[in-house]
Amino acid sequence: MEYRKRIADKLLKEQLDAMGAVLVEGPKACGKTTTAEQVAGSVLYMADPRTLRTNLQIADTDITILLKGKTPRLIDEWQVVPQFWDAIRFTVDHRRDVGQFILTGSAVPVSSRDIVHSGTGRFGWVTMRPMSLWESGDSTGEVSLGSLFASAPQEVSGSSSMDLEHLAFLICRGGWPSSLLARTDNAALLQVLNYYDAIVHADISRVDNVRRDSERVMRLMRSYARHQGTPATISTLLRDMVTNDVPSLSDTTVSDYLSALRKIFVVEDMKAWNPNLRSKSAIRTADNRYFVDPSVAVAALDLGPTDLMNDLNTMGLLFETLCVRDLRVYADALNGNVYHFRDRNGLECDTVVHLRNGSYGLIEIKLGGERLIEEGAGNLLKLESLIDTARMKAPAFKMVLVGIGSYTYRRADGVYVVPVGCLKE
């Protein structure tokens, strides 16, 4: 399969043009190193077992030796030596030039004790996620999210040939570059299972050198997968887990395990949006639970494409996770963030893409079908009617993002219906 240039490539170049050093972070195997290598002048691979011991010794004696090389100098898996942070900050200060270093890592440093300075003014950040459908070549890209912000309302057009079977496969395959390069569909799905096994048996303990029970990790991830797109509390996850765990399992232990999953960028929860409303309805502020890619949830639940097609409720929840992944990738390209909305009366909006200039779009996610599209459009129109446009902008657009649908169109009420197989940044 031929896939397109990564959105993160553009973001990295922009940051290198503006900052002395750029930190590229995200889950393991999402393509961080490959993206950085394309623009690096020289590379230091800290995780290379052939040179790791020597490099650690040099870092302890004179870390500046490891910073020498053609710029931008890439320090891959920099968190192995957290002292790199302050050493690079100091070097950037004295070189007084942009584009000096790129740091890549798939884990937050174990401790901040070796990091003295925040890096403000010296470091830029790029968050990489698994590939969106546009980047992987699975979306036609006929509908641009950015164009809807720029000139909505507008007429849109586009068609998608994605059927239920292929969508189920895309959810299970995920956006991992290695899966896209696999020779067969079965090999692609096996890549995801291997990634999940690595999380459970190695990565979650390696991140901070704290040994964690792999069976407990699997139970937590399975519970987390069941609650995708909901504000499930630690107590809710705990109740799920104790069915097959010791009764003494505590909230603290579950929180510790979740913290480790965040440090390796496996989970990425979604914050609540807090608009100005005409009504006094209280807005729920709890984060919604999401894995960084739907394939991780599928692996945690031990499901496959056929299982999803036989259980459309579960498929709908995991399709939402796929859409959230894509919208986050596209929002990054537009200088925006993705939120959710829920009030005490039960009114919800699955995603709100909010840009730094104050513009925002309201998006409901539905697997497909006229009933669900009508339901989603109704929610969007109701939420729009509650927004106090005297105190904030009106929404730039309202969209029902669907999995199964042949065409993109704008309804008479102004709501766009867009198949995910037509969307790009």
Side-chain angles (χ1 to χ4, degrees):
M1 174 182 294
E2 181 180 352
Y3 52 88
R4 301 179 175 97
K5 195 172 182 65
R6 302 291 296 270
I7 289 171
D9 294 347
K10 171 177 172 286
L11 300 180
L12 176 57
K13 185 179 185 306
E14 290 175 348
Q15 289 289 348
L16 285 170
D17 288 342
M19 307 300 292
V22 182
L23 172 62
V24 183
E25 56 185 5
K28 186 176 180 180
C30 74
K32 299 181 300 299
T33 303
T34 300
T35 287
E37 285 172 336
Q38 293 173 358
V39 296
S42 61
V43 184
L44 172 65
Y45 298 104
M46 281 305 300
D48 187 341
R50 298 169 298 179
T51 57
L52 177 58
R53 181 172 296 183
T54 299
N55 288 337
L56 289 175
Q57 290 174 344
I58 295 173
D60 282 339
T61 55
D62 186 358
I63 197 170
T64 60
I65 295 173
L66 299 177
L67 301 185
K68 294 178 180 178
K70 186 177 179 182
T71 61
R73 181 151 174 79
L74 167 59
I75 314 294
D76 187 49
E77 297 297 346
W78 73 276
Q79 76 281 352
V80 173
V81 179
Q83 301 97 304
F84 270 123
W85 186 269
D86 284 317
I88 288 175
R89 178 195 60 80
F90 183 84
T91 302
V92 166
D93 275 351
H94 286 77
R95 289 184 182 176
R96 298 181 181 274
D97 198 3
V98 298
Q100 296 298 296
F101 297 98
I102 307 171
L103 285 71
T104 56
S106 53
V108 173
V110 174
S111 171
S112 61
R113 65 180 182 275
D114 294 313
I115 297 177
V116 176
H117 197 284
S118 68
T120 303
R122 287 84 166 180
F123 286 85
W125 273 262
V126 173
T127 300
M128 279 195 72
R129 300 178 179 86
M131 299 171 78
S132 65
L133 294 184
W134 162 247
E135 293 169 305
S136 66
D138 295 294
S139 168
T140 65
E142 293 170 280
V143 179
S144 164
L145 193 65
S147 70
L148 294 180
F149 277 108
S151 58
Q154 61 176 273
E155 294 305 317
V156 294
S157 63
S159 60
S160 172
S161 60
M162 190 178 298
D163 58 19
L164 192 67
E165 182 178 7
H166 187 55
L167 180 60
F169 171 73
L170 293 178
I171 292 170
C172 296
R173 184 204 66 188
W176 310 101
S178 59
S179 294
L180 270 64
L181 295 173
R183 294 181 179 180
T184 66
D185 287 353
N186 285 338
L189 299 178
L190 185 59
Q191 293 276 358
V192 178
L193 293 176
N194 289 338
Y195 177 74
Y196 170 74
D197 287 342
I199 294 169
V200 168
H201 297 289
D203 294 347
I204 196 170
S205 296
R206 189 178 297 145
V207 62
D208 52 10
N209 297 316
V210 174
R211 183 174 178 80
R212 294 182 174 86
D213 183 273
S214 59
E215 291 295 326
R216 187 167 289 170
V217 178
M218 286 191 284
R219 282 191 284 272
L220 171 59
M221 292 182 69
R222 186 176 183 85
S223 175
Y224 208 88
R226 290 194 189 105
H227 294 286
Q228 291 291 281
T230 76
T233 63
I234 296 293
S235 297
T236 299
L237 299 175
L238 177 62
R239 283 196 298 272
D240 268 6
M241 295 173 66
V242 295
T243 304
N244 297 299
D245 208 312
V246 294
S248 60
L249 182 64
S250 68
D251 285 15
T252 302
T253 300
V254 176
S255 295
D256 169 74
Y257 277 49
L258 272 181
S259 176
L261 289 174
R262 289 191 189 97
K263 287 179 179 178
I264 55 175
F265 304 99
V266 170
V267 300
E268 185 179 6
D269 294 340
M270 182 188 291
K271 295 187 179 300
W273 186 55
N274 190 13
N276 293 307
L277 301 181
R278 295 190 184 94
S279 70
K280 295 183 179 180
S281 178
I283 297 171
R284 303 304 188 193
T285 59
D287 292 357
N288 273 359
R289 306 291 188 182
Y290 287 102
F291 281 113
V292 73
D293 190 273
S295 63
V296 183
V298 172
L301 292 170
D302 195 23
L303 301 176
T306 302
D307 300 308
L308 295 187
M309 288 188 292
N310 290 332
D311 183 353
L312 294 185
N313 287 332
T314 298
M315 184 172 175
L317 293 174
L318 299 180
F319 169 66
E320 181 178 318
T321 304
L322 180 147
C323 292
V324 167
R325 177 201 67 196
D326 283 15
L327 289 171
R328 281 170 161 162
V329 173
Y330 302 152
D332 282 347
L334 302 173
N335 271 326
N337 290 293
V338 181
Y339 302 93
H340 75 88
F341 174 85
R342 180 184 298 105
D343 69 13
R344 68 178 179 184
N345 297 318
L347 178 62
E348 298 184 42
C349 182
D350 293 325
T351 54
V352 180
V353 179
H354 198 287
L355 307 189
R356 288 184 182 177
N357 65 7
S359 298
Y360 63 93
L362 307 177
I363 303 176
E364 277 280 85
I365 299 169
K366 302 296 181 183
L367 191 56
E370 287 303 317
R371 181 183 63 81
L372 291 178
I373 290 172
E374 198 65 39
E375 176 186 301
N379 283 347
L380 295 173
L381 293 168
K382 185 173 182 180
L383 175 55
E384 181 185 38
S385 71
L386 297 177
I387 293 172
D388 187 350
T389 54
R391 300 172 62 193
M392 65 183 295
K393 295 180 179 181
F397 63 87
K398 303 174 292 296
M399 178 196 297
V400 180
L401 187 60
V402 299
I404 307 303
S406 299
Y407 300 103
T408 295
Y409 59 95
R410 184 169 178 261
R411 291 165 41 113
D413 55 20
V415 175
Y416 296 102
V417 178
V418 180
V420 72
C422 292
L423 194 63
K424 69 174 182 179
E425 83 282 7

